[in-house]
Amino acid sequence: EVQLLESGGGLVQPGGSLRLSCAASGFTFSNYALTWVRQAPGKGLEWVSLISGSGNTYYADSVEGRFTISRDNSKNTLHLQMNSLRAEDTAIYYCAKVRSAAAGNYDGFDVWGQGTMVTVSS
Amino acid sequence: EIVLTQAPATLSLSPGESATLSCRASQSVDRYLAWYQQKPGQAPRLLIYDASNRATGIPARFSGSGSGTDFTLTISSLEPEDFAVYYCQQRKNWPITFGQGTRLEI
Protein backbone atom coordinates (compact mmCIF):
# COMPACT_ATOMS: atom_id res chain seq x y z
CA GLU A 1 0.00 0.00 0.00
CA VAL A 2 1.27 3.44 -0.94
CA GLN A 3 1.53 5.62 2.15
CA LEU A 4 2.88 8.98 3.26
CA LEU A 5 3.27 9.90 6.91
CA GLU A 6 4.16 13.42 8.01
CA SER A 7 5.80 14.38 11.28
CA GLY A 8 7.51 17.34 12.89
CA GLY A 9 4.66 19.78 13.33
CA GLY A 10 4.08 21.72 16.52
CA LEU A 11 3.95 25.11 18.18
CA VAL A 12 6.73 27.56 17.36
CA GLN A 13 7.25 31.25 18.06
CA PRO A 14 7.31 33.81 15.27
CA GLY A 15 10.77 33.92 13.74
CA GLY A 16 11.46 30.35 14.74
CA SER A 17 12.21 27.25 12.71
CA LEU A 18 10.70 23.84 12.23
CA ARG A 19 11.56 20.83 10.08
CA LEU A 20 8.80 18.67 8.71
CA SER A 21 9.38 15.13 7.48
CA CYS A 22 7.31 12.82 5.32
CA ALA A 23 8.07 9.10 5.33
CA ALA A 24 7.04 7.26 2.20
CA SER A 25 6.38 3.59 1.55
CA GLY A 26 4.85 1.34 -1.07
CA PHE A 27 6.35 2.91 -4.20
CA THR A 28 9.72 3.58 -5.83
CA PHE A 29 10.39 6.85 -4.02
CA SER A 30 13.16 8.18 -6.23
CA ASN A 31 11.00 7.95 -9.36
CA TYR A 32 8.39 10.47 -8.24
CA ALA A 33 8.15 14.16 -7.58
CA LEU A 34 6.75 15.13 -4.20
CA THR A 35 5.08 18.24 -2.94
CA TRP A 36 3.95 20.11 0.17
CA VAL A 37 0.51 21.69 0.31
CA ARG A 38 -0.85 23.57 3.32
CA GLN A 39 -4.26 24.52 4.59
CA ALA A 40 -4.80 27.27 7.13
CA PRO A 41 -7.61 26.63 9.62
CA GLY A 42 -10.95 26.89 7.85
CA LYS A 43 -9.32 27.94 4.57
CA GLY A 44 -8.56 26.43 1.20
CA LEU A 45 -5.53 24.62 -0.15
CA GLU A 46 -2.27 26.46 -0.82
CA TRP A 47 0.61 24.89 -2.72
CA VAL A 48 3.94 25.40 -0.92
CA SER A 49 6.77 23.58 -2.69
CA LEU A 50 7.64 20.70 -5.02
CA ILE A 51 10.77 18.66 -5.62
CA SER A 52 11.27 16.53 -8.69
CA GLY A 53 12.69 13.04 -8.64
CA SER A 54 16.01 14.46 -9.77
CA GLY A 55 15.99 17.20 -7.13
CA ASN A 56 14.75 20.27 -8.96
CA THR A 57 12.88 22.51 -6.53
CA TYR A 58 10.02 24.98 -6.84
CA TYR A 59 8.45 27.30 -4.26
CA ALA A 60 5.45 29.51 -3.73
CA ASP A 61 6.35 33.19 -3.54
CA SER A 62 5.06 33.31 0.03
CA VAL A 63 7.76 30.89 1.25
CA GLU A 64 10.61 31.47 -1.21
CA GLY A 65 13.81 32.16 0.69
CA ARG A 66 12.40 30.94 4.00
CA PHE A 67 11.48 27.30 3.29
CA THR A 68 13.68 24.60 1.79
CA ILE A 69 12.38 21.34 0.38
CA SER A 70 14.69 18.33 0.19
CA ARG A 71 14.54 14.58 -0.20
CA ASP A 72 16.61 11.64 0.98
CA ASN A 73 16.08 8.88 -1.57
CA SER A 74 18.10 6.43 0.54
CA LYS A 75 15.59 6.83 3.40
CA ASN A 76 12.43 7.41 1.33
CA THR A 77 11.88 10.65 3.18
CA LEU A 78 10.83 14.15 2.15
CA HIS A 79 11.65 17.19 4.26
CA LEU A 80 10.54 20.79 4.56
CA GLN A 81 12.85 23.09 6.49
CA MET A 82 10.88 26.14 7.57
CA ASN A 83 12.74 29.21 8.85
CA SER A 84 11.64 32.72 9.82
CA LEU A 85 8.15 31.44 10.52
CA ARG A 86 5.25 33.85 10.59
CA ALA A 87 1.74 33.68 12.01
CA GLU A 88 0.40 33.29 8.49
CA ASP A 89 2.34 30.03 8.12
CA THR A 90 -0.03 28.44 10.63
CA ALA A 91 -1.66 25.53 8.80
CA ILE A 92 -1.95 21.81 8.35
CA TYR A 93 0.94 20.77 6.11
CA TYR A 94 0.33 17.84 3.77
CA CYS A 95 2.92 16.01 1.77
CA ALA A 96 1.71 14.43 -1.45
CA LYS A 97 3.06 12.34 -4.28
CA VAL A 98 2.80 13.36 -7.93
CA ARG A 99 0.76 10.84 -9.93
CA SER A 100 3.01 10.49 -12.94
CA ALA A 101 6.54 9.12 -12.85
CA ALA A 102 7.38 10.91 -16.10
CA ALA A 103 9.99 13.59 -15.61
CA GLY A 104 8.47 17.06 -15.47
CA ASN A 105 4.90 15.80 -15.66
CA TYR A 106 3.34 17.02 -12.41
CA ASP A 107 -0.16 16.12 -13.47
CA GLY A 108 -1.84 15.65 -10.11
CA PHE A 109 -1.21 14.73 -6.49
CA ASP A 110 -2.59 11.24 -6.07
CA VAL A 111 -1.43 10.13 -2.62
CA TRP A 112 -1.57 12.38 0.43
CA GLY A 113 -0.45 12.06 4.00
CA GLN A 114 -2.75 12.79 6.92
CA GLY A 115 -1.11 16.16 7.54
CA THR A 116 0.83 17.70 10.38
CA MET A 117 -0.25 20.88 12.17
CA VAL A 118 2.10 23.84 12.43
CA THR A 119 1.12 26.67 14.74
CA VAL A 120 3.16 29.88 14.78
CA SER A 121 2.28 31.91 17.84
CA SER A 122 3.87 33.64 20.79
CA GLU B 1 0.40 33.92 -10.99
CA ILE B 2 -2.60 32.17 -12.53
CA VAL B 3 -5.75 32.77 -10.51
CA LEU B 4 -8.42 30.07 -10.52
CA THR B 5 -11.96 31.18 -9.72
CA GLN B 6 -14.46 28.51 -8.77
CA ALA B 7 -18.21 28.89 -8.98
CA PRO B 8 -20.48 28.68 -7.24
CA ALA B 9 -18.97 29.03 -3.76
CA THR B 10 -21.68 26.76 -2.39
CA LEU B 11 -23.97 24.39 -4.25
CA SER B 12 -26.99 22.88 -2.54
CA LEU B 13 -28.36 19.72 -4.11
CA SER B 14 -29.95 16.40 -3.18
CA PRO B 15 -28.76 12.83 -3.65
CA GLY B 16 -29.60 11.61 -7.13
CA GLU B 17 -29.25 15.04 -8.71
CA SER B 18 -26.36 16.10 -10.95
CA ALA B 19 -23.78 18.71 -9.96
CA THR B 20 -21.89 21.05 -12.25
CA LEU B 21 -18.89 22.86 -10.77
CA SER B 22 -16.97 25.52 -12.66
CA CYS B 23 -13.33 26.59 -12.59
CA ARG B 24 -12.15 29.58 -14.59
CA ALA B 25 -8.48 30.46 -15.05
CA SER B 26 -7.14 34.01 -15.38
CA GLN B 27 -5.12 32.86 -18.43
CA SER B 28 -4.95 29.70 -20.46
CA VAL B 29 -3.78 26.59 -18.66
CA ASP B 30 -4.26 24.39 -21.75
CA ARG B 31 -5.55 21.15 -20.22
CA TYR B 32 -3.23 21.19 -17.22
CA LEU B 33 -5.99 21.20 -14.64
CA ALA B 34 -6.81 18.79 -11.83
CA TRP B 35 -9.78 18.41 -9.49
CA TYR B 36 -9.74 17.29 -5.86
CA GLN B 37 -12.37 16.35 -3.31
CA GLN B 38 -11.89 17.07 0.38
CA LYS B 39 -14.10 15.91 3.22
CA PRO B 40 -13.93 17.39 6.74
CA GLY B 41 -10.88 16.23 8.66
CA GLN B 42 -9.44 14.40 5.67
CA ALA B 43 -6.71 15.03 3.15
CA PRO B 44 -7.73 15.93 -0.39
CA ARG B 45 -8.32 13.17 -2.92
CA LEU B 46 -7.37 13.44 -6.58
CA LEU B 47 -10.41 12.99 -8.83
CA ILE B 48 -9.39 14.26 -12.28
CA TYR B 49 -6.04 15.14 -13.87
CA ASP B 50 -5.29 16.84 -17.17
CA ALA B 51 -8.85 18.17 -17.34
CA SER B 52 -10.66 14.94 -18.13
CA ASN B 53 -8.73 11.88 -16.94
CA ARG B 54 -10.19 10.09 -13.94
CA ALA B 55 -7.65 9.10 -11.30
CA THR B 56 -7.37 5.49 -10.21
CA GLY B 57 -10.41 4.26 -8.34
CA ILE B 58 -12.60 7.27 -9.06
CA PRO B 59 -16.18 6.35 -9.98
CA ALA B 60 -17.43 7.03 -13.47
CA ARG B 61 -20.04 9.48 -12.19
CA PHE B 62 -17.20 12.01 -11.87
CA SER B 63 -16.20 13.61 -15.17
CA GLY B 64 -14.12 16.61 -16.14
CA SER B 65 -14.14 18.73 -19.26
CA GLY B 66 -12.74 21.95 -20.65
CA SER B 67 -9.56 23.51 -21.93
CA GLY B 68 -7.91 26.89 -22.00
CA THR B 69 -9.61 28.97 -19.31
CA ASP B 70 -12.94 27.25 -18.64
CA PHE B 71 -13.33 23.89 -16.95
CA THR B 72 -16.18 21.87 -15.51
CA LEU B 73 -16.42 19.04 -13.03
CA THR B 74 -19.67 17.12 -13.38
CA ILE B 75 -20.95 14.65 -10.84
CA SER B 76 -23.90 12.70 -12.17
CA SER B 77 -26.42 11.17 -9.77
CA LEU B 78 -24.96 12.42 -6.48
CA GLU B 79 -24.30 9.89 -3.76
CA PRO B 80 -24.37 10.88 -0.04
CA GLU B 81 -20.59 10.54 0.16
CA ASP B 82 -20.10 13.14 -2.61
CA PHE B 83 -21.03 16.05 -0.37
CA ALA B 84 -17.68 17.72 0.25
CA VAL B 85 -15.49 20.61 -0.87
CA TYR B 86 -14.02 20.49 -4.38
CA TYR B 87 -10.88 22.28 -5.55
CA CYS B 88 -9.38 22.81 -8.96
CA GLN B 89 -5.60 23.18 -9.42
CA GLN B 90 -3.44 24.25 -12.36
CA ARG B 91 0.09 23.21 -13.26
CA LYS B 92 0.55 25.20 -16.46
CA ASN B 93 2.76 27.83 -14.83
CA TRP B 94 4.70 28.17 -11.60
CA PRO B 95 3.54 28.66 -8.97
CA ILE B 96 1.00 25.87 -8.91
CA THR B 97 -2.29 27.37 -7.76
CA PHE B 98 -5.58 26.12 -6.39
CA GLY B 99 -9.04 27.58 -6.68
CA GLN B 100 -10.80 28.72 -3.54
CA GLY B 101 -13.12 25.72 -3.53
CA THR B 102 -16.79 24.90 -4.04
CA ARG B 103 -18.73 23.45 -1.14
CA LEU B 104 -21.26 20.87 -2.27
CA GLU B 105 -23.92 20.50 0.39
CA ILE B 106 -27.21 18.75 0.83
Side-chain angles (χ1 to χ4, degrees), chain A residues 39 58 105-107 109 112-113, chain B residues 36 38 43-44 46 49 91 94:
Chain A
Q39 187 168 37
Y58 307 87
N105 185 14
Y106 312 127
D107 58 358
F109 308 142
W112 295 66
Chain B
Y36 299 83
Q38 187 179 33
L46 177 66
Y49 64 95
R91 65 176 180 100
W94 300 103

Side-chain angles (χ1 to χ4, degrees), chain A residues 9 21 25 29-30 36 53 65 81 85-86 88 94 106 111 118 120:
Chain A
S21 297
S25 60
F29 184 80
S30 59
W36 290 96
Q81 177 67 43
L85 283 162
R86 307 165 179 167
E88 55 264 36
Y94 296 101
Y106 312 127
V111 180
V118 172
V120 184

Side-chain angles (χ1 to χ4, degrees), chain B residues 3-44:
Chain B
V3 176
L4 299 179
T5 302
Q6 293 187 239
T10 303
L11 185 58
S12 299
L13 293 170
S14 299
E17 294 187 300
S18 292
T20 302
L21 286 66
S22 171
C23 178
R24 177 164 290 178
S26 58
Q27 64 188 79
S28 176
V29 298
D30 296 332
R31 292 179 58 82
Y32 299 135
L33 191 102
W35 289 93
Y36 299 83
Q37 176 194 68
Q38 187 179 33
K39 297 178 181 179
Q42 296 185 16

Side-chain angles (χ1 to χ4, degrees), chain B residues 45-99:
Chain B
R45 177 172 72 145
L46 177 66
L47 300 174
I48 301 288
Y49 64 95
D50 289 349
S52 61
N53 297 295
R54 270 190 305 278
T56 301
I58 301 303
R61 64 180 182 274
F62 290 90
S63 62
S65 63
S67 65
T69 61
D70 291 300
F71 298 85
T72 300
L73 174 70
T74 301
I75 313 171
S76 62
S77 189
L78 286 163
E79 298 286 344
E81 61 267 27
D82 298 336
F83 292 90
V85 180
Y86 292 83
Y87 295 94
C88 56
Q89 171 245 313
Q90 68 81 25
R91 65 176 180 100
K92 168 67 174 176
N93 288 349
W94 300 103
I96 289 170
T97 50
F98 286 90

Side-chain angles (χ1 to χ4, degrees), chain A residues 47-66:
Chain A
W47 175 76
V48 173
S49 182
L50 181 146
I51 186 166
S52 71
S54 60
N56 296 322
T57 59
Y58 307 87
Y59 297 94
D61 291 345
S62 59
V63 307
E64 179 88 57
R66 300 188 299 123

Side-chain angles (χ1 to χ4, degrees), chain A:
Chain A
E1 181 186 4
V2 178
Q3 282 190 323
L4 298 171
L5 183 63
E6 302 96 336
S7 60
L11 175 64
V12 61
Q13 292 188 337
S17 298
L18 213 54
R19 190 191 195 208
L20 305 184
S21 297
C22 174
S25 60
F27 63 100
T28 305
F29 184 80
S30 59
N31 287 356
Y32 290 88
L34 297 157
T35 194
W36 290 96
V37 175
R38 68 186 180 184
Q39 187 168 37
K43 303 298 184 182
L45 302 174
E46 180 187 14
W47 175 76
V48 173
S49 182
L50 181 146
I51 186 166
S52 71
S54 60
N56 296 322
T57 59
Y58 307 87
Y59 297 94
D61 291 345
S62 59
V63 307
E64 179 88 57
R66 300 188 299 123
F67 290 11
T68 302
I69 191 171
S70 63
R71 64 190 298 158
D72 184 340
N73 288 341
S74 69
K75 296 183 179 179
N76 289 359
T77 303
L78 173 72
H79 298 289
L80 186 68
Q81 177 67 43
M82 304 186 295
N83 298 331
S84 302
L85 283 162
R86 307 165 179 167
E88 55 264 36
D89 296 317
T90 294
I92 297 172
Y93 285 72
Y94 296 101
C95 65
K97 167 190 162 290
V98 170
R99 191 202 70 86
S100 174
N105 185 14
Y106 312 127
D107 58 358
F109 308 142
D110 67 336
V111 180
W112 295 66
Q114 86 291 347
T116 187
M117 184 69 203
V118 172
T119 302
V120 184
S121 175
S122 54

